[in-house]
Amino acid sequence: MAIYIDPPLWPAHGTHFSHLVSDASLDELHAFAAAAGIPERAFDGDHYDVPERRFDDLVAAGAVPVEGRMLVRRLIASGLRIPARRRNKSLKVPLLNRWEAIMPGHDALFLDLLDRWSEPHRHYHGCTHLLSVLEALDLLTEPAEAPRTVLLAAWFHDAVYRGAAGMDEEESARLAEERLADACLPEAEVAEVARLVRLTSDHRPEPGDGDGALLCDADLSILGGEPQEYARYVAAVRKDYAHIGDADFAAGRAAVVRHLLELDPLFHHQRAKELWQDAAHRNLNGELR
């Protein structure tokens, strides 16, 4: 059991804030916060936001300082993390932090991608899905880091989204090829990112394609959610395809569910299988019925 705090890097209200979390229980976190004089209003679902001026004394009180991504990983591993899709606050800052870790100095590209993921017609395939995939990659690669090509493929895999299966992934891959070449990434990396993006059209990586399997597993992690979370996912997907009539959507969705159930394996990495496979089959079969 431990309390963790990340560096004060989050700008707001004329200062910068840290996040304070527990790796064991919210009761432990609340007790630590109360003893340190942190007000209840600073609690945000799974963490406390604390101003920069409190950092040193919170460390002195026993909070363990860790880098931001490590704090998130500890929180996810604890089971206390509120999934991105259930958060109401802006995701721009956490997404920018992740982008800076892999593509520092490319703010214009980040803002372009953020605008794409924030398009008003997106309900499931929006910023919350992007952050969820990135967090799933954290969980699957802990304690290592996911390869940069896999992370960039996550950023681009639904960058173009019009609800046209297959075409969206192809256009997203072409966008990655264009924008990453403009960003002067090595040609081999650009090609690999585009290849990975195209894999998300059917989630069938070849045997031995570890990076492809990693991205596909992360992209499908929602399938292994709790029943209520899965129901919200299905409802959001229906909104994404609001331009399609009920009968056609039902037929198309049933075909997608059958395709997913026919994937063998549905998840490839052992950790993904342990985390999501049983629940995913239960959710998919329940939806099909």
Side-chain angles (χ1 to χ4, degrees):
M1 295 174 62
I3 300 294
Y4 294 93
I5 188 169
D6 62 2
L9 299 175
W10 311 92
H13 310 298
T15 186
H16 290 78
F17 282 78
S18 295
H19 299 127
L20 193 72
V21 308
S22 168
D23 69 349
S25 75
L26 292 180
D27 288 342
E28 178 192 34
L29 179 61
H30 292 317
F32 182 92
I38 300 172
E40 292 182 8
R41 66 177 180 275
F43 181 65
D44 187 22
D46 55 13
H47 69 275
Y48 281 85
D49 294 313
V50 292
E52 184 174 14
R53 60 182 172 77
R54 295 297 316 274
F55 183 84
D56 289 340
D57 63 273
L58 290 172
V59 171
V64 179
V66 294
E67 185 266 340
R69 293 189 67 185
M70 182 58 67
L71 180 138
V72 172
R73 291 183 176 199
R74 298 286 172 85
L75 187 57
I76 291 173
S78 74
L80 300 175
R81 175 70 160 172
I82 295 179
R85 61 187 66 89
R86 287 171 51 195
R87 292 184 217 140
N88 295 321
K89 297 177 73 174
S90 170
L91 300 181
K92 181 178 180 179
V93 171
L95 286 172
L96 176 59
N97 185 55
R98 287 173 174 273
W99 178 259
E100 285 291 317
I102 57 171
M103 289 289 286
H106 292 278
D107 294 351
L109 180 53
F110 165 75
L111 292 172
D112 178 55
L113 288 170
L114 186 69
D115 284 346
R116 290 173 178 276
W117 283 95
S118 303
E119 291 166 337
H121 67 276
R122 297 173 183 247
H123 297 275
Y124 172 66
H125 295 88
C127 288
T128 53
H129 171 58
L130 170 59
L131 185 54
S132 294
V133 172
L134 294 170
E135 290 183 346
L137 289 172
D138 284 347
L139 195 56
L140 293 177
T141 58
E142 168 75 27
E145 302 281 341
R148 180 166 75 158
T149 50
V150 176
L151 294 170
L152 285 171
W155 277 91
F156 277 96
H157 83 283
D158 280 327
V160 176
Y161 184 75
R162 300 188 180 94
M167 292 179 60
D168 288 344
E169 290 82 2
E170 179 59 30
E171 290 189 36
S172 295
R174 292 177 182 175
L175 181 72
E177 290 170 334
E178 175 187 339
R179 299 300 171 82
L180 294 177
D182 289 345
C184 298
L185 253 68
E187 185 176 335
E189 284 193 52
V190 174
E192 174 65 358
V193 171
R195 182 190 75 82
L196 292 169
V197 170
R198 290 184 172 100
L199 278 179
T200 62
S201 64
D202 63 4
H203 300 96
R204 291 184 185 272
E206 293 292 330
D209 181 5
D211 287 353
L214 187 62
L215 179 64
C216 289
D217 285 356
D219 191 29
L220 295 181
S221 60
I222 181 59
L223 302 180
E226 295 296 323
Q228 288 185 337
E229 184 180 18
Y230 186 82
R232 287 193 294 269
Y233 148 69
V234 174
V237 169
R238 179 65 185 104
K239 290 181 180 179
D240 277 354
Y241 289 88
H243 57 286
I244 296 177
D246 288 343
D248 288 340
F249 175 79
R253 179 64 189 172
V256 169
V257 171
R258 291 191 186 98
H259 164 74
L260 291 169
L261 285 169
E262 289 168 1
L263 292 178
D264 186 17
L266 176 57
F267 294 103
H268 302 79
H269 286 263
Q270 185 58 36
R271 190 174 298 183
K273 292 178 181 179
E274 294 169 356
L275 288 169
W276 304 312
Q277 186 150 287
D278 289 346
H281 281 122
R282 183 172 61 250
N283 287 332
L284 290 166
N285 280 305
E287 183 183 354
L288 198 58
R289 286 195 296 270

